């Protein structure tokens, strides 16, 4: 047996059932309007980007400083953008007043799902974003990773490297992104989660394969080592299905290769970094299986 063995399988996932019922009732995520907000760690690349695209009335809160319960002229309803590295997210959650925890907006580049689940912050109302663009330095123009790769069977464009947002403050964040000509898509959490896992696979697999081949660029990985990438994606998809009740979206390989070959991505050197929040997530699943005497 592999990672899909009976004792590793987690087939129950009530979230998709509840979302489908909400869809049949004509319900969806509540729309929110951009306005004065709080940015924790708002002086870095992402924080500065969001502040510059805001209304000019944001409050910057330093790491470890108190997050306000109210803002003048706004009241208690406003988002709190968490613009800190993954390793600092937990300290922000712990320092946040319980009345504002559900207004936290997570914009990290790694997979922080297990951390958010620990504090019950990984549901439909919690705001999370996949920011598929690069900001080289504070104040520089973002380079969008979004790539159109032709029509699907219904004539709709297929997209790789899509920026996606879910949760309560999705519309507010998307408004800021649009001011920078970044197109954002609002999704239910269940669908957003699959996009997030696809980003993790890109970060983990493409860069690992390139690193193993003397640091090849991500474009070269797509061009010369696609077979190795496809084999790893197959194994990871099986592991995700067996351990997290999640399957990557159809066409994941095509999108990953299209993104790796994009003009503003293909030059990037391969490097394994931020291990705990990327490759480490996959490694933890594999280790759990081995601890239960399953194959790696």
């Amino acid at each position: 047996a592999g990672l899909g063995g009976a004792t590793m399988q987690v087939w129950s996932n009530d979230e998709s059932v509840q979302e489908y019922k909400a869809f049949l009732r004509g319900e969806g995520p509540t729309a929110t309007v951009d306005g004065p907000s709080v940015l924790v760690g708002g002086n870095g690349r992402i924080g500065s980007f969001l502040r510059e695209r805001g209304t000019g009335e944001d409050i910057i809160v330093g790491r470890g400083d108190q997050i306000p319960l109210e803002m003048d002229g706004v009241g208690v309803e406003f988002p709190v953008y968490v613009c800190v590295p993954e390793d600092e997210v937990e300290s922000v959650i712990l320092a946040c007043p319980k009345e504002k925890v559900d207004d936290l907006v997570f914009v990290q580049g790694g997979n922080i799902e297990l951390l958010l689940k620990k504090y019950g912050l990984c549901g439909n109302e919690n705001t999370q974003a996949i920011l598929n663009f690069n900001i080289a330095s504070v104040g520089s123009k973002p380079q969008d990773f979004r790539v159109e790769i032709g029509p699907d069977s219904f004539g709709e464009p297929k997209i790789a490297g899509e920026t996606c947002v879910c949760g309560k403050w999705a519309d507010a964040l998307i408004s800021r992104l649009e001011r920078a000509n970044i197109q954002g898509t609002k999704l239910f959490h269940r669908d957003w989660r699959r996009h997030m896992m696809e980003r993790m696979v890109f970060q983990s697999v493409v860069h690992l394969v390139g690193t193993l081949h003397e640091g090849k660029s991500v474009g070269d990985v797509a061009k010369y080592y696609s077979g190795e990438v496809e084999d790893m994606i197959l194994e990871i998809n099986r592991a995700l299905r067996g351990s997290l009740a999640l399957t990557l979206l159809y066409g994941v390989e095509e999108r990953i290769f299209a993104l790796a070959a994009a003009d503003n991505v293909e030059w990037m050197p391969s490097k394994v970094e931020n291990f705990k929040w990327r490759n480490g997530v996959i490694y933890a699943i594999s280790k759990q299986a081995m601890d239960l005497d399953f194959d790696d």
Side-chain angles (χ1 to χ4, degrees), residues 45-112:
R45 287 180 299 169
I46 295 298
S48 296
F49 165 80
L50 292 175
R51 186 181 72 249
E52 291 164 4
R53 272 73 185 182
T55 61
E57 302 172 275
D58 294 336
I59 293 176
I60 307 301
V61 174
R63 292 166 171 82
D65 292 344
Q66 183 66 41
I67 295 172
L69 289 173
E70 297 186 29
M71 292 182 68
D72 292 340
V74 178
V76 298
E77 281 294 311
F78 55 88
V80 179
Y81 292 97
V82 183
C83 308
V84 301
E86 292 85 355
D87 289 331
E88 299 181 30
V89 169
E90 187 167 23
S91 64
V92 175
I93 295 172
L94 292 173
C96 183
K98 65 179 187 297
E99 297 90 345
K100 292 300 296 177
V101 168
D102 287 336
D103 290 311
L104 295 175
V105 178
F106 300 100
V107 296
Q108 285 63 42
N111 182 346
I112 60 173

Side-chain angles (χ1 to χ4, degrees), residues 2 6 18 24 46 66 84 118 127 135 147 162 211 228 246 269 284:
Q18 296 305 319
L24 293 178
I46 295 298
Q66 183 66 41
V84 301
K118 178 180 176 181
T127 310
I135 300 174
V147 180
E162 190 170 15
T211 299
E228 295 179 37
L246 178 143

Side-chain angles (χ1 to χ4, degrees), residues 3 32 43 45 54 64 84 99 101 112-113 120 123 143 215 227 261 276 289:
L3 292 181
T32 49
N43 293 316
R45 287 180 299 169
V84 301
E99 297 90 345
V101 168
I112 60 173
E113 179 174 272
Q143 298 294 315
K276 179 179 179 180

Side-chain angles (χ1 to χ4, degrees), residues 116-154:
L116 297 185
K117 282 185 175 180
K118 178 180 176 181
Y119 295 100
L121 297 174
C122 206
N124 286 328
E125 288 300 311
N126 301 115
T127 310
Q128 300 181 68
I130 302 167
L131 303 181
N132 269 319
F133 54 85
N134 180 55
I135 300 174
S137 60
V138 173
S140 65
K141 182 179 179 180
Q143 298 294 315
D144 196 355
F145 292 161
R146 180 184 173 93
V147 180
E148 288 196 17
I149 50 178
D152 61 17
S153 57
F154 298 100

